[in-house]
Amino acid sequence: MSGLSLDPEQLDRYSRHIIMDEVGPEGQQRLLDSRILCLGAGGLGSPVIQYLAAAGVGTIGIADDDVVERSNLQRQVVHGESDIGRPKVDSAADFVAEQNPDVAVERHETRVTSENVEDLVAEYDVVVDGSDNFSTRYLVNDACTLAGVPFSHGAILKFEGQVTTFEAREESPCYRCIFPEAPPAGSVPSCAEAGVLGVLPGTVGCIQATEAVKLAMGYGETLDGRLVLYDAADMTFDTAEIRKNPNCPVCGENPDIGSVHDVEYTDTCAIGD
Amino acid sequence: MDVDLRFFATFREAVGQKNITRAFDDGLTIGDLLAALESEFDGLEGELLDDTGDIRPQLSVLKNGREVLHIDGTATELDDGDTVSVFPPVAGG
């Protein structure tokens, strides 16, 4: 932490944070000093970026290699009509600049791969996974778990969302503790194939942003050890207890995965694929 | 005894409903239940258990909110009134 240095405008901007004993000027300073990486600036990434920027997270990394398409605008609320065709990292960065001048955006206009994920993750305190495919999700899980970087996991399809937080502590489970392997290609459709309710990523992304803010502030309990299954169709939230799997291939007692280079992140993302 | 079943995402589509209740004889295990579901619903055939009778690595099965892998796996016993949830990972963002 760089010491308390809130100026009068910041004391005003963040007054509703600072007035809370649970946050105070120290908690706000921690947010301003924090570095959070958002993987994806799409449906989930949009509300995450909005709320992290509004909260005064000092540095937000945004990794996305897509450009804005018209079909994104039904749910990806940091992008607008005039952004169609622009890189999402640029559109999202412009949104943040307008929302909060305290926030620096680091643009990573690249696809996250096993070649760059370790360097990328190492630069940040917290990672928020809002990616849109299984390969990236398993890659992010393995990289963050091996590096000990806490990350928020959110995923959506049609009317349903799954969200949890993996703190990457000794006793924390990881994504592979729940799902050791990805489904075979084609068995679980993508949002492009099956559709998604436009407001759904707003709800799930806001939970992810909440978790990231708490981790950055060092306050509260996260979803570590709990997976929330959200159904927008009947507005139910089911919570499943999840535990570390002793046989987990990445965080178990005798892991097979010691590096992201041990796995081909294609198809089921299993060892030897 | 009655067991409440909850299905999510692709499994819900295979079953056609989110929640169903089924009556079974006492002594039912998770393995028995998943095999019975594969028999009842065409869309679940081969989706829940692998060739050795273990739960496939691409789904999660909960008994009353707890992952059955951390209880007794397919040997996990069920009682009247238990709720079993079955869900796959999803990846959309």
Side-chain angles (χ1 to χ4, degrees), chain B:
Chain B
M1 66 176 190
D2 288 343
V3 177
D4 294 324
L5 302 164
R6 308 195 68 188
F7 300 96
F8 294 85
T10 49
F11 296 129
R12 180 179 305 178
E13 295 188 356
V15 171
Q17 296 178 81
K18 177 173 182 177
N19 303 319
I20 60 174
T21 300
R22 287 287 182 272
F24 295 97
D25 293 335
D26 288 351
L28 184 79
T29 65
I30 285 286
D32 300 333
L33 171 68
L34 298 179
L37 291 171
E38 287 202 7
S39 296
E40 180 176 349
F41 298 101
D42 291 344
L44 293 182
E45 189 177 352
E47 297 294 318
L48 307 179
L49 297 170
D50 65 18
D51 295 342
T52 64
D54 284 333
I55 297 170
R56 287 194 174 277
Q58 301 96 359
L59 72 147
S60 185
V61 180
L62 309 176
K63 173 190 169 184
N64 300 331
R66 281 189 64 196
E67 166 62 68
V68 298
L69 291 178
H70 304 315
I71 309 176
D72 286 320
T74 52
T76 302
E77 294 185 356
L78 294 166
D79 295 314
D80 185 51
D82 281 343
T83 297
V84 175
S85 306
V86 183
F87 60 94
V90 297

Coordinates of all heavy atoms in Angstrom, one line a residue, chain B:
Chain B
M1 N -39.4 -44.6 -1.3 CA -39.0 -43.3 -0.9 C -39.0 -42.4 -2.1 O -38.8 -42.8 -3.2 CB -37.6 -43.4 -0.2 CG -36.5 -43.7 -1.2 SD -34.9 -43.7 -0.3 CE -33.8 -43.8 -1.7
D2 N -39.1 -41.1 -1.8 CA -39.1 -40.1 -2.9 C -37.8 -39.3 -2.9 O -37.3 -38.9 -1.8 CB -40.3 -39.1 -2.7 CG -41.6 -39.8 -3.0 OD1 -41.6 -40.8 -3.6 OD2 -42.7 -39.2 -2.5
V3 N -37.3 -39.1 -4.1 CA -36.1 -38.3 -4.2 C -36.5 -37.1 -5.2 O -37.0 -37.3 -6.2 CB -34.9 -39.1 -4.8 CG1 -33.7 -38.2 -5.0 CG2 -34.6 -40.2 -3.9
D4 N -36.1 -35.9 -4.8 CA -36.3 -34.7 -5.6 C -35.1 -34.5 -6.5 O -34.0 -34.6 -6.0 CB -36.5 -33.5 -4.8 CG -37.8 -33.6 -4.0 OD1 -38.8 -34.1 -4.5 OD2 -37.9 -33.1 -2.8
L5 N -35.3 -34.3 -7.8 CA -34.3 -34.2 -8.7 C -34.3 -32.8 -9.4 O -35.4 -32.3 -9.8 CB -34.4 -35.3 -9.8 CG -34.4 -36.7 -9.2 CD1 -34.9 -37.7 -10.3 CD2 -33.0 -37.1 -8.8
R6 N -33.1 -32.2 -9.5 CA -33.0 -30.8 -10.1 C -32.0 -30.9 -11.2 O -30.9 -31.4 -11.0 CB -32.6 -29.8 -9.0 CG -33.5 -29.8 -7.8 CD -33.3 -28.6 -7.0 NE -33.8 -27.4 -7.7 CZ -33.7 -26.2 -7.4 NH1 -33.0 -25.9 -6.3 NH2 -34.2 -25.2 -8.1
F7 N -32.4 -30.4 -12.3 CA -31.5 -30.4 -13.5 C -31.2 -29.0 -14.0 O -32.1 -28.1 -13.9 CB -32.2 -31.2 -14.6 CG -32.5 -32.6 -14.2 CD1 -33.8 -33.0 -13.8 CD2 -31.5 -33.6 -14.3 CE1 -34.1 -34.3 -13.4 CE2 -31.8 -34.9 -13.9 CZ -33.1 -35.3 -13.5
F8 N -30.0 -28.8 -14.4 CA -29.6 -27.5 -14.9 C -29.0 -27.6 -16.3 O -28.5 -28.6 -16.7 CB -28.5 -27.0 -13.9 CG -29.0 -26.7 -12.6 CD1 -29.0 -27.7 -11.6 CD2 -29.4 -25.4 -12.2 CE1 -29.5 -27.4 -10.3 CE2 -29.9 -25.2 -10.9 CZ -29.9 -26.2 -10.0
A9 N -29.1 -26.5 -17.0 CA -28.5 -26.3 -18.3 C -28.9 -27.4 -19.3 O -30.1 -27.7 -19.4 CB -27.0 -26.1 -18.2
T10 N -27.9 -28.0 -19.9 CA -28.2 -29.0 -20.9 C -29.0 -30.2 -20.4 O -29.7 -30.8 -21.1 CB -26.9 -29.5 -21.6 OG1 -26.0 -29.9 -20.5 CG2 -26.3 -28.4 -22.4
F11 N -28.8 -30.5 -19.1 CA -29.5 -31.7 -18.5 C -31.0 -31.4 -18.4 O -31.8 -32.2 -18.5 CB -28.9 -32.1 -17.2 CG -27.5 -32.6 -17.3 CD1 -26.4 -32.1 -16.5 CD2 -27.1 -33.6 -18.3 CE1 -25.1 -32.5 -16.7 CE2 -25.8 -34.0 -18.4 CZ -24.8 -33.5 -17.6
R12 N -31.3 -30.1 -18.1 CA -32.7 -29.7 -18.0 C -33.3 -29.9 -19.4 O -34.5 -30.4 -19.5 CB -32.7 -28.2 -17.6 CG -34.2 -27.7 -17.5 CD -34.2 -26.3 -17.0 NE -33.4 -26.1 -15.8 CZ -33.3 -25.0 -15.2 NH1 -33.8 -23.9 -15.7 NH2 -32.6 -24.9 -14.0
E13 N -32.6 -29.5 -20.4 CA -33.2 -29.7 -21.8 C -33.4 -31.2 -22.1 O -34.4 -31.5 -22.7 CB -32.3 -29.0 -22.8 CG -32.3 -27.5 -22.5 CD -31.6 -26.7 -23.6 OE1 -31.0 -27.4 -24.5 OE2 -31.6 -25.5 -23.6
A14 N -32.5 -32.0 -21.7 CA -32.6 -33.4 -21.9 C -33.8 -34.1 -21.2 O -34.5 -35.0 -21.7 CB -31.3 -34.2 -21.5
V15 N -34.1 -33.5 -20.0 CA -35.2 -34.1 -19.2 C -36.5 -33.4 -19.6 O -37.6 -34.0 -19.4 CB -34.9 -33.9 -17.7 CG1 -36.1 -34.2 -16.8 CG2 -33.7 -34.8 -17.3
G16 N -36.4 -32.1 -20.0 CA -37.6 -31.4 -20.3 C -38.2 -30.6 -19.2 O -39.2 -29.9 -19.3
Q17 N -37.7 -30.8 -18.0 CA -38.2 -30.1 -16.8 C -37.0 -29.8 -15.9 O -36.0 -30.4 -15.9 CB -39.1 -31.0 -16.0 CG -40.4 -31.4 -16.7 CD -41.2 -32.3 -15.9 OE1 -42.0 -31.8 -15.0 NE2 -41.1 -33.6 -16.1
K18 N -37.2 -28.8 -15.1 CA -36.2 -28.4 -14.1 C -36.2 -29.3 -12.9 O -35.2 -29.7 -12.4 CB -36.3 -26.9 -13.6 CG -35.3 -26.5 -12.6 CD -35.4 -25.0 -12.3 CE -34.4 -24.7 -11.2 NZ -34.3 -23.2 -10.9
N19 N -37.4 -29.6 -12.4 CA -37.5 -30.4 -11.1 C -38.5 -31.5 -11.4 O -39.6 -31.3 -11.9 CB -38.1 -29.5 -10.0 CG -37.3 -28.3 -9.7 OD1 -36.1 -28.3 -9.7 ND2 -38.0 -27.1 -9.5
I20 N -38.1 -32.7 -10.9 CA -39.0 -33.8 -10.9 C -38.8 -34.6 -9.6 O -37.8 -34.5 -8.9 CB -38.8 -34.8 -12.1 CG1 -37.4 -35.4 -12.1 CG2 -39.1 -34.1 -13.4 CD1 -37.2 -36.4 -13.2
T21 N -39.8 -35.4 -9.2 CA -39.7 -36.2 -8.1 C -40.0 -37.7 -8.5 O -40.9 -37.9 -9.3 CB -40.8 -35.8 -7.0 OG1 -40.5 -34.5 -6.6 CG2 -40.6 -36.8 -5.8
R22 N -39.1 -38.6 -8.1 CA -39.3 -40.0 -8.4 C -39.3 -40.8 -7.2 O -38.6 -40.5 -6.2 CB -38.1 -40.4 -9.4 CG -38.2 -39.9 -10.8 CD -39.3 -40.5 -11.5 NE -39.4 -40.1 -12.9 CZ -40.1 -39.0 -13.3 NH1 -40.8 -38.3 -12.4 NH2 -40.1 -38.7 -14.6
A23 N -40.1 -41.9 -7.2 CA -40.1 -42.9 -6.1 C -39.2 -44.0 -6.4 O -39.1 -44.5 -7.5 CB -41.6 -43.4 -5.9
F24 N -38.4 -44.4 -5.4 CA -37.5 -45.5 -5.5 C -37.6 -46.4 -4.3 O -38.1 -46.0 -3.3 CB -36.0 -45.0 -5.6 CG -35.8 -44.2 -6.9 CD1 -35.8 -42.8 -6.8 CD2 -35.4 -44.8 -8.1 CE1 -35.5 -42.0 -7.9 CE2 -35.2 -44.0 -9.2 CZ -35.2 -42.6 -9.1
D25 N -37.1 -47.6 -4.5 CA -37.0 -48.5 -3.3 C -35.9 -48.0 -2.4 O -34.9 -47.3 -2.8 CB -36.6 -49.9 -3.7 CG -37.7 -50.6 -4.6 OD1 -38.9 -50.2 -4.4 OD2 -37.4 -51.5 -5.4
D26 N -36.0 -48.4 -1.1 CA -35.0 -48.0 -0.1 C -33.6 -48.6 -0.5 O -33.6 -49.6 -1.2 CB -35.4 -48.5 1.3 CG -36.5 -47.6 1.9 OD1 -36.9 -46.6 1.3 OD2 -37.0 -48.1 2.9
G27 N -32.6 -47.9 0.0 CA -31.2 -48.5 -0.3 C -30.6 -47.9 -1.6 O -29.6 -48.3 -2.1
L28 N -31.3 -47.0 -2.2 CA -30.8 -46.4 -3.5 C -29.5 -45.6 -3.3 O -29.3 -44.9 -2.3 CB -31.9 -45.4 -4.0 CG -31.7 -44.7 -5.4 CD1 -32.0 -45.7 -6.5 CD2 -32.5 -43.4 -5.5
T29 N -28.6 -45.8 -4.3 CA -27.4 -45.0 -4.3 C -27.4 -44.0 -5.4 O -28.2 -44.1 -6.3 CB -26.1 -45.9 -4.4 OG1 -26.2 -46.5 -5.7 CG2 -26.1 -47.0 -3.4
I30 N -26.4 -43.1 -5.4 CA -26.3 -42.2 -6.5 C -26.1 -42.9 -7.8 O -26.6 -42.5 -8.9 CB -25.2 -41.2 -6.2 CG1 -25.6 -40.1 -5.1 CG2 -24.7 -40.5 -7.5 CD1 -26.6 -39.1 -5.6
G31 N -25.3 -43.9 -7.8 CA -25.0 -44.7 -9.0 C -26.3 -45.3 -9.5 O -26.5 -45.3 -10.8
D32 N -27.1 -45.9 -8.6 CA -28.4 -46.5 -9.1 C -29.3 -45.4 -9.7 O -29.9 -45.6 -10.7 CB -29.1 -47.0 -7.8 CG -28.4 -48.1 -7.1 OD1 -27.6 -48.8 -7.8 OD2 -28.6 -48.3 -5.9
L33 N -29.3 -44.2 -9.0 CA -30.1 -43.2 -9.5 C -29.7 -42.7 -10.9 O -30.6 -42.5 -11.8 CB -30.1 -42.0 -8.5 CG -30.8 -40.7 -9.0 CD1 -32.3 -40.9 -9.0 CD2 -30.4 -39.5 -8.0
L34 N -28.4 -42.4 -11.1 CA -28.0 -41.9 -12.4 C -28.2 -43.0 -13.5 O -28.6 -42.6 -14.6 CB -26.5 -41.6 -12.3 CG -26.2 -40.4 -11.3 CD1 -24.6 -40.2 -11.3 CD2 -26.9 -39.2 -11.6
A35 N -28.1 -44.2 -13.1 CA -28.4 -45.3 -14.1 C -29.8 -45.3 -14.5 O -30.2 -45.5 -15.7 CB -27.9 -46.7 -13.6
A36 N -30.7 -45.1 -13.5 CA -32.1 -45.1 -13.7 C -32.5 -43.9 -14.6 O -33.4 -44.0 -15.5 CB -32.9 -45.0 -12.4
L37 N -31.9 -42.8 -14.3 CA -32.2 -41.6 -15.1 C -31.7 -41.8 -16.6 O -32.4 -41.4 -17.5 CB -31.5 -40.4 -14.6 CG -32.0 -39.9 -13.2 CD1 -31.1 -38.8 -12.6 CD2 -33.5 -39.4 -13.4
E38 N -30.6 -42.4 -16.8 CA -30.1 -42.7 -18.1 C -31.1 -43.6 -18.9 O -31.3 -43.5 -20.1 CB -28.7 -43.3 -18.1 CG -27.6 -42.3 -17.8 CD -26.3 -42.8 -18.3 OE1 -26.2 -43.8 -19.0 OE2 -25.2 -42.2 -17.9
S39 N -31.7 -44.5 -18.1 CA -32.7 -45.4 -18.8 C -34.0 -44.7 -19.1 O -34.6 -45.0 -20.1 CB -33.0 -46.6 -17.8 OG -31.8 -47.4 -17.6
E40 N -34.4 -43.8 -18.2 CA -35.7 -43.1 -18.4 C -35.7 -42.1 -19.5 O -36.6 -41.9 -20.2 CB -36.1 -42.5 -17.1 CG -37.5 -41.8 -17.2 CD -38.0 -41.2 -15.9 OE1 -37.5 -41.5 -14.8 OE2 -39.0 -40.5 -16.0
F41 N -34.6 -41.3 -19.5 CA -34.5 -40.2 -20.5 C -33.5 -40.5 -21.6 O -32.3 -40.6 -21.3 CB -34.1 -38.9 -19.7 CG -35.1 -38.5 -18.7 CD1 -34.9 -38.8 -17.3 CD2 -36.3 -37.9 -19.0 CE1 -35.8 -38.4 -16.4 CE2 -37.3 -37.5 -18.1 CZ -37.0 -37.8 -16.7
D42 N -34.0 -40.5 -22.8 CA -33.1 -40.8 -24.0 C -32.0 -39.8 -24.0 O -30.8 -40.1 -24.3 CB -33.9 -40.7 -25.3 CG -34.9 -41.9 -25.4 OD1 -34.7 -42.8 -24.6 OD2 -35.8 -41.8 -26.2
G43 N -32.3 -38.5 -23.7 CA -31.2 -37.5 -23.8 C -30.1 -37.6 -22.8 O -29.1 -36.9 -22.9
L44 N -30.3 -38.4 -21.8 CA -29.3 -38.6 -20.8 C -28.5 -39.9 -20.9 O -27.5 -40.1 -20.2 CB -29.9 -38.6 -19.4 CG -30.6 -37.4 -18.9 CD1 -31.2 -37.6 -17.4 CD2 -29.6 -36.2 -18.9
E45 N -28.9 -40.7 -21.9 CA -28.2 -42.0 -22.1 C -26.7 -41.7 -22.4 O -26.4 -41.0 -23.3 CB -28.9 -42.8 -23.2 CG -28.4 -44.2 -23.3 CD -29.1 -44.9 -24.4 OE1 -30.1 -44.4 -25.0 OE2 -28.6 -46.1 -24.7
G46 N -25.9 -42.3 -21.6 CA -24.4 -42.2 -21.8 C -23.8 -40.9 -21.3 O -22.6 -40.7 -21.4
E47 N -24.7 -40.0 -20.7 CA -24.2 -38.7 -20.4 C -23.8 -38.5 -18.9 O -23.1 -37.6 -18.5 CB -25.3 -37.6 -20.6 CG -25.7 -37.5 -22.1 CD -24.6 -36.9 -23.0 OE1 -23.9 -36.0 -22.5 OE2 -24.4 -37.5 -24.1
L48 N -24.2 -39.5 -18.1 CA -24.0 -39.3 -16.6 C -22.9 -40.2 -16.1 O -22.1 -39.8 -15.2 CB -25.3 -39.5 -15.9 CG -26.5 -38.7 -16.4 CD1 -27.7 -39.1 -15.5 CD2 -26.2 -37.2 -16.3
L49 N -22.9 -41.4 -16.6 CA -21.9 -42.4 -16.1 C -21.0 -42.9 -17.2 O -21.5 -43.0 -18.4 CB -22.7 -43.7 -15.5 CG -23.6 -43.4 -14.3 CD1 -24.4 -44.6 -14.0 CD2 -22.7 -43.1 -13.1
D50 N -19.7 -43.1 -16.9 CA -18.8 -43.6 -17.9 C -18.9 -45.2 -18.0 O -19.7 -45.8 -17.3 CB -17.4 -43.1 -17.7 CG -16.8 -43.7 -16.4 OD1 -17.3 -44.7 -15.9 OD2 -15.8 -43.1 -16.0
D51 N -18.1 -45.7 -18.8 CA -18.2 -47.2 -19.1 C -17.9 -48.0 -17.8 O -18.3 -49.2 -17.7 CB -17.1 -47.6 -20.2 CG -17.5 -46.9 -21.5 OD1 -18.7 -46.5 -21.7 OD2 -16.6 -46.9 -22.4
T52 N -17.2 -47.4 -16.9 CA -16.9 -48.2 -15.6 C -17.9 -47.9 -14.5 O -17.7 -48.4 -13.4 CB -15.5 -47.8 -15.1 OG1 -15.5 -46.4 -14.7 CG2 -14.4 -48.0 -16.2
G53 N -18.9 -47.1 -14.9 CA -19.9 -46.8 -13.9 C -19.6 -45.6 -13.0 O -20.3 -45.4 -12.0
D54 N -18.5 -44.9 -13.2 CA -18.2 -43.7 -12.5 C -18.9 -42.5 -13.1 O -19.3 -42.5 -14.2 CB -16.7 -43.5 -12.5 CG -15.9 -44.4 -11.6 OD1 -16.5 -44.9 -10.6 OD2 -14.7 -44.7 -11.9
I55 N -19.0 -41.5 -12.2 CA -19.6 -40.2 -12.7 C -18.7 -39.6 -13.7 O -17.5 -39.5 -13.5 CB -19.9 -39.3 -11.6 CG1 -20.9 -39.9 -10.6 CG2 -20.4 -37.9 -12.1 CD1 -21.1 -39.1 -9.3
R56 N -19.2 -39.2 -14.9 CA -18.4 -38.6 -15.9 C -17.7 -37.3 -15.4 O -18.3 -36.6 -14.5 CB -19.2 -38.2 -17.1 CG -19.6 -39.4 -17.9 CD -20.2 -39.1 -19.3 NE -20.4 -40.3 -20.1 CZ -19.4 -40.9 -20.8 NH1 -18.2 -40.5 -20.8 NH2 -19.7 -42.0 -21.5
P57 N -16.5 -37.0 -15.8 CA -15.7 -35.8 -15.3 C -16.3 -34.5 -15.7 O -15.8 -33.5 -15.3 CB -14.3 -36.1 -15.8 CG -14.5 -36.9 -17.0 CD -15.7 -37.8 -16.8
Q58 N -17.3 -34.5 -16.6 CA -17.8 -33.2 -17.1 C -19.2 -32.9 -16.5 O -19.9 -32.1 -17.1 CB -17.9 -33.3 -18.6 CG -16.6 -33.5 -19.4 CD -16.4 -35.0 -19.7 OE1 -17.3 -35.8 -19.4 NE2 -15.3 -35.3 -20.4
L59 N -19.5 -33.4 -15.3 CA -20.7 -33.0 -14.7 C -20.5 -33.0 -13.2 O -19.5 -33.6 -12.7 CB -21.9 -33.9 -15.1 CG -22.0 -35.3 -14.5 CD1 -23.4 -35.7 -14.3 CD2 -21.3 -36.2 -15.5
S60 N -21.4 -32.4 -12.5 CA -21.3 -32.3 -11.0 C -22.7 -32.8 -10.5 O -23.7 -32.4 -11.0 CB -21.0 -30.9 -10.6 OG -20.9 -30.9 -9.2
V61 N -22.6 -33.7 -9.5 CA -23.8 -34.2 -8.9 C -23.8 -33.9 -7.4 O -22.8 -34.1 -6.7 CB -23.9 -35.7 -9.1 CG1 -25.2 -36.3 -8.4 CG2 -23.8 -36.1 -10.5
L62 N -24.9 -33.2 -6.9 CA -24.9 -32.8 -5.6 C -26.0 -33.6 -4.8 O -27.1 -33.8 -5.4 CB -25.3 -31.3 -5.5 CG -24.5 -30.3 -6.3 CD1 -25.1 -28.9 -6.1 CD2 -23.0 -30.3 -5.8
K63 N -25.7 -34.0 -3.6 CA -26.8 -34.5 -2.7 C -27.0 -33.4 -1.6 O -26.1 -33.1 -0.9 CB -26.3 -35.8 -2.1 CG -27.3 -36.3 -1.0 CD -26.7 -37.5 -0.2 CE -27.6 -37.8 1.0 NZ -27.0 -38.9 1.9
N64 N -28.2 -32.9 -1.6 CA -28.5 -31.8 -0.7 C -27.5 -30.7 -0.6 O -27.1 -30.2 0.4 CB -28.7 -32.4 0.7 CG -29.8 -33.5 0.8 OD1 -30.8 -33.4 0.0 ND2 -29.7 -34.4 1.6
G65 N -27.0 -30.3 -1.8 CA -26.1 -29.2 -1.9 C -24.6 -29.6 -1.8 O -23.7 -28.8 -1.8
R66 N -24.3 -30.9 -1.5 CA -22.9 -31.3 -1.4 C -22.5 -32.2 -2.5 O -23.2 -33.1 -2.9 CB -22.7 -32.1 -0.1 CG -22.6 -31.2 1.2 CD -22.2 -32.1 2.4 NE -20.9 -32.6 2.2 CZ -20.4 -33.7 2.9 NH1 -21.1 -34.2 3.8 NH2 -19.2 -34.1 2.7
E67 N -21.3 -31.9 -3.1 CA -20.8 -32.7 -4.2 C -20.6 -34.1 -3.7 O -20.0 -34.4 -2.7 CB -19.5 -32.1 -4.6 CG -18.6 -32.9 -5.5 CD -19.2 -33.2 -6.9 OE1 -19.4 -32.3 -7.7 OE2 -19.5 -34.4 -7.1
V68 N -21.2 -35.1 -4.5 CA -21.2 -36.5 -4.0 C -19.8 -37.1 -4.1 O -19.5 -38.1 -3.4 CB -22.2 -37.4 -4.8 CG1 -23.6 -36.9 -4.6 CG2 -21.8 -37.4 -6.3
L69 N -18.9 -36.5 -4.9 CA -17.5 -37.0 -4.9 C -16.9 -36.9 -3.5 O -16.0 -37.6 -3.2 CB -16.7 -36.2 -5.9 CG -17.0 -36.5 -7.4 CD1 -16.1 -35.6 -8.2 CD2 -16.8 -37.9 -7.7
H70 N -17.4 -35.9 -2.7 CA -16.8 -35.7 -1.4 C -17.7 -36.5 -0.3 O -17.5 -36.3 0.9 CB -16.7 -34.2 -1.0 CG -15.9 -33.5 -2.0 ND1 -14.7 -33.9 -2.5 CD2 -16.2 -32.3 -2.7 CE1 -14.3 -33.1 -3.4 NE2 -15.1 -32.1 -3.6
I71 N -18.6 -37.3 -0.8 CA -19.3 -38.1 0.2 C -18.8 -39.6 -0.1 O -17.7 -39.9 0.3 CB -20.9 -38.0 0.0 CG1 -21.2 -36.5 0.1 CG2 -21.6 -38.7 1.2 CD1 -22.7 -36.2 -0.1
D72 N -19.6 -40.3 -0.9 CA -19.1 -41.7 -1.2 C -19.2 -41.9 -2.7 O -19.4 -43.1 -3.2 CB -19.9 -42.7 -0.5 CG -19.5 -42.8 1.0 OD1 -18.3 -42.7 1.3 OD2 -20.4 -43.0 1.8
G73 N -19.2 -40.9 -3.5 CA -19.3 -41.0 -5.0 C -20.5 -41.7 -5.4 O -21.6 -41.4 -4.9
T74 N -20.4 -42.6 -6.3 CA -21.6 -43.3 -6.8 C -22.2 -44.2 -5.7 O -23.4 -44.6 -5.8 CB -21.3 -44.2 -8.0 OG1 -20.2 -45.1 -7.7 CG2 -21.0 -43.4 -9.2
A75 N -21.4 -44.5 -4.7 CA -22.0 -45.4 -3.6 C -22.7 -44.5 -2.5 O -23.3 -45.1 -1.5 CB -20.8 -46.1 -2.9
T76 N -22.8 -43.2 -2.7 CA -23.5 -42.4 -1.8 C -25.0 -42.8 -1.7 O -25.7 -42.9 -2.7 CB -23.4 -40.9 -2.3 OG1 -22.1 -40.5 -2.4 CG2 -24.2 -40.0 -1.3
E77 N -25.4 -43.0 -0.4 CA -26.7 -43.5 -0.2 C -27.7 -42.4 -0.1 O -27.4 -41.3 0.3 CB -26.8 -44.4 1.0 CG -26.0 -45.7 0.9 CD -26.1 -46.6 2.1 OE1 -26.8 -46.2 3.1 OE2 -25.6 -47.7 2.1
L78 N -28.9 -42.6 -0.6 CA -30.0 -41.6 -0.6 C -31.1 -42.0 0.3 O -31.4 -43.2 0.5 CB -30.5 -41.4 -2.0 CG -29.5 -40.8 -3.0 CD1 -30.0 -41.0 -4.4 CD2 -29.2 -39.4 -2.7
D79 N -31.7 -41.0 1.0 CA -32.8 -41.2 1.9 C -34.1 -40.5 1.3 O -34.0 -39.6 0.5 CB -32.5 -40.7 3.3 CG -31.4 -41.5 3.9 OD1 -31.4 -42.7 3.8 OD2 -30.4 -40.9 4.4
D80 N -35.2 -40.8 1.9 CA -36.4 -40.2 1.5 C -36.3 -38.7 1.7 O -35.9 -38.2 2.8 CB -37.6 -40.7 2.4 CG -38.9 -40.2 2.0 OD1 -39.2 -40.2 0.8 OD2 -39.7 -39.7 2.9
G81 N -36.7 -37.9 0.7 CA -36.7 -36.5 0.8 C -35.4 -35.8 0.4 O -35.3 -34.6 0.4
D82 N -34.4 -36.6 0.0 CA -33.1 -36.0 -0.4 C -33.4 -35.3 -1.8 O -34.2 -35.6 -2.6 CB -32.1 -37.0 -0.6 CG -31.4 -37.5 0.7 OD1 -31.6 -36.7 1.7 OD2 -30.8 -38.5 0.7
T83 N -32.5 -34.2 -2.0 CA -32.5 -33.5 -3.3 C -31.2 -33.8 -4.0 O -30.1 -33.6 -3.4 CB -32.7 -32.0 -3.0 OG1 -34.0 -31.8 -2.4 CG2 -32.6 -31.3 -4.4
V84 N -31.3 -34.2 -5.2 CA -30.1 -34.5 -6.0 C -30.1 -33.5 -7.2 O -31.1 -33.4 -7.9 CB -30.1 -35.9 -6.5 CG1 -28.9 -36.1 -7.5 CG2 -30.0 -36.9 -5.4
S85 N -29.0 -32.7 -7.3 CA -28.9 -31.8 -8.4 C -27.8 -32.3 -9.4 O -26.8 -32.8 -9.0 CB -28.5 -30.4 -7.9 OG -29.4 -30.0 -6.9
V86 N -28.1 -32.1 -10.7 CA -27.2 -32.5 -11.7 C -26.9 -31.4 -12.7 O -27.9 -30.8 -13.2 CB -27.7 -33.7 -12.5 CG1 -26.7 -34.2 -13.5 CG2 -28.1 -34.9 -11.6
F87 N -25.6 -31.0 -12.8 CA -25.4 -29.9 -13.7 C -24.0 -30.0 -14.4 O -23.1 -30.6 -13.9 CB -25.5 -28.5 -13.0 CG -24.5 -28.3 -11.8 CD1 -23.3 -27.7 -12.0 CD2 -24.8 -28.8 -10.6 CE1 -22.4 -27.5 -11.0 CE2 -24.0 -28.6 -9.5 CZ -22.8 -28.0 -9.7
P88 N -24.0 -29.5 -15.6 CA -22.7 -29.4 -16.4 C -22.0 -28.1 -16.2 O -22.7 -27.1 -15.7 CB -23.2 -29.6 -17.8 CG -24.4 -28.8 -17.8 CD -25.1 -29.0 -16.5
P89 N -20.8 -28.0 -16.5 CA -20.2 -26.6 -16.6 C -20.8 -25.9 -17.8 O -21.1 -26.5 -18.8 CB -18.7 -26.9 -16.8 CG -18.6 -28.2 -17.5 CD -19.8 -29.0 -17.0
V90 N -20.8 -24.6 -17.7 CA -21.2 -23.8 -18.9 C -20.0 -22.8 -19.0 O -19.3 -22.5 -18.1 CB -22.5 -23.0 -18.8 CG1 -23.6 -24.0 -18.7 CG2 -22.6 -22.1 -17.6
A91 N -19.9 -22.2 -20.2 CA -18.7 -21.4 -20.5 C -19.0 -20.0 -21.0 O -18.1 -19.2 -21.2 CB -17.7 -22.1 -21.4
G92 N -20.2 -19.7 -21.2 CA -20.5 -18.4 -21.9 C -20.1 -17.2 -21.0 O -20.2 -17.3 -19.8
G93 N -19.8 -16.1 -21.7 CA -19.4 -15.0 -21.0 C -19.9 -13.7 -21.6 O -19.6 -12.6 -21.2

